[in-house]
Amino acid sequence: MANSKYEYVKDFESDAKILPHTWIVVRIDGCHFHRFSADHMFEKPNDENALKLMNSCAVAMLQHFPDIVFAYGVSDEYSFVWRETTRFYQRRECKLLSLSVSYFTSVYVMRWKEFFPNKELKEPPYFDGRVVCYPRVKIVRDYLAWRQVDCHINNQYNTCFWMLVKSGKTEKEAHELLKGTLSKDKNELLFQQFDINYDKLPAMFRKGSCIFRDEVEETVKLDEGGNPVKRTRMKVTVDHIDIIGPKFWSERPYILKEDLK
Ligand code: GTP
Ligand code: MG
């Protein structure tokens, strides 16, 4: 029996569940970060501390939500891949999405001072989020490749753009100069005009950031002879490497392992 005559309002609730046996990607993206980054004087095109703060939040996500197996971040966005077998909140989409976004945002605010000890947080950072589910590992990998290709295209463009602007061109002139240029033209421009070898720029800027659990060897103690006793364990790790080709994934088959049971 209903507890009160008002309880019928619950019938209006919907409770969408994410398809079973699919990989879940939650992508969050900073809201109006064009303005937020300007208000906080982030360096252009890449602010190392801002990116490291994002990475730190993503590490916290993997530590807090064990069913997240991989994360990829660039600029003001982060994608979190949940394992296909997760039963987290019975795969309720609202729960997964809202908890991800709010946890990430809280950590971002909490750790701001660690990364920007001399900058006051002037306005609340906030993020939007979406959930997409993919039925096969191949598509998850293609999704991540899509984000990393995007990182490359944007970073190469932005690096050229801001070098031109810093060298005295107006933003309009810089846009005009870059219109229709190919990747190799941009590399050439950086090299010829600014003596920059694009491939030597920090990997975090060029490749984005990958967060995953990796095997690390640790010394747990010294034995009687003073020799180190080592143990391997899985540690949440940040790296800036290629995830488009097969190497990364074939070296770590456990990350996106299909459940064959
Ligand atoms: P919405 O996401 O639609 O709300 O807009 P947005 O302003 O956040 O733009 P979008 O997500 O498309 O792009 C992210 C923006 O954040 C970039 O265009 C930059 O303006 C800014 N941004 C992100 N990372 C950095 C950084 O390291 N340095 C600087 N200067 N800006 C950054
Ligand atoms: Mg944004």
Side-chain angles (χ1 to χ4, degrees), residues 45 152-167 169-194 198:
H152 169 72
I153 293 169
N154 290 334
N155 186 59
Q156 205 188 27
Y157 183 92
N158 291 337
T159 305
C160 292
F161 179 82
W162 288 110
M163 284 312 297
L164 288 166
V165 171
K166 282 172 191 175
S167 74
K169 298 267 184 283
T170 65
E171 296 196 5
K172 192 163 176 281
E173 286 167 342
H175 275 303
E176 286 301 321
L177 275 165
L178 292 171
K179 204 182 269 175
T181 54
L182 303 173
S183 176
K184 65 173 176 20
D185 304 328
K186 294 190 192 73
N187 272 355
E188 201 58 23
L189 180 147
L190 287 173
F191 195 67
Q192 298 295 342
Q193 293 196 32
F194 305 108
Y198 184 78

Side-chain angles (χ1 to χ4, degrees), residues 95-110:
K95 288 283 185 188
L96 241 106
L97 182 58
S98 57
L99 291 170
S100 297
V101 174
S102 77
Y103 194 84
F104 189 95
T105 308
S106 287
V107 178
Y108 193 98
V109 174
M110 272 183 76

Side-chain angles (χ1 to χ4, degrees), residues 78-218:
Y78 242 104
S79 300
F80 296 95
V81 182
W82 294 67
R83 68 183 172 87
E84 57 167 346
T85 51
T86 185
R87 298 288 313 145
F88 189 70
Y89 282 94
Q90 288 78 50
R91 300 173 75 92
R92 282 158 67 193
E93 182 170 341
C94 279
K95 288 283 185 188
L96 241 106
L97 182 58
S98 57
L99 291 170
S100 297
V101 174
S102 77
Y103 194 84
F104 189 95
T105 308
S106 287
V107 178
Y108 193 98
V109 174
M110 272 183 76
R111 296 191 180 168
W112 174 268
K113 267 265 162 301
E114 256 176 65
F115 292 87
F116 295 107
N118 304 316
K119 273 184 198 170
E120 212 54 54
L121 191 52
K122 292 184 181 172
E123 62 202 75
Y126 61 122
F127 295 82
D128 66 26
R130 70 175 63 204
V131 174
V132 187
C133 59
Y134 296 110
R136 289 193 292 129
V137 166
K138 179 198 180 286
I139 312 177
V140 177
R141 276 181 49 181
D142 285 349
Y143 168 83
L144 293 167
W146 171 54
R147 296 323 302 137
Q148 194 168 49
V149 167
D150 222 45
C151 167
H152 169 72
I153 293 169
N154 290 334
N155 186 59
Q156 205 188 27
Y157 183 92
N158 291 337
T159 305
C160 292
F161 179 82
W162 288 110
M163 284 312 297
L164 288 166
V165 171
K166 282 172 191 175
S167 74
K169 298 267 184 283
T170 65
E171 296 196 5
K172 192 163 176 281
E173 286 167 342
H175 275 303
E176 286 301 321
L177 275 165
L178 292 171
K179 204 182 269 175
T181 54
L182 303 173
S183 176
K184 65 173 176 20
D185 304 328
K186 294 190 192 73
N187 272 355
E188 201 58 23
L189 180 147
L190 287 173
F191 195 67
Q192 298 295 342
Q193 293 196 32
F194 305 108
D195 209 16
I196 291 174
N197 181 343
Y198 184 78
D199 292 337
K200 294 270 177 341
L201 293 177
M204 181 166 67
F205 301 168
R206 290 182 292 113
K207 303 267 181 222
S209 299
C210 305
I211 322 276
F212 50 95
R213 292 176 191 82
D214 212 5
E215 272 185 359
V216 290
E217 204 173 60
E218 278 186 337

Side-chain angles (χ1 to χ4, degrees), residues 42-48 51 75 155 159 204-206:
F42 284 3
E43 272 175 44
K44 287 170 175 159
N46 293 291
D47 188 293
E48 197 180 330
L51 295 173
S75 181
N155 186 59
T159 305
M204 181 166 67
F205 301 168
R206 290 182 292 113

Side-chain angles (χ1 to χ4, degrees), residues 29-33 76:
D29 185 292
C31 207
H32 303 316
F33 259 50
D76 68 338

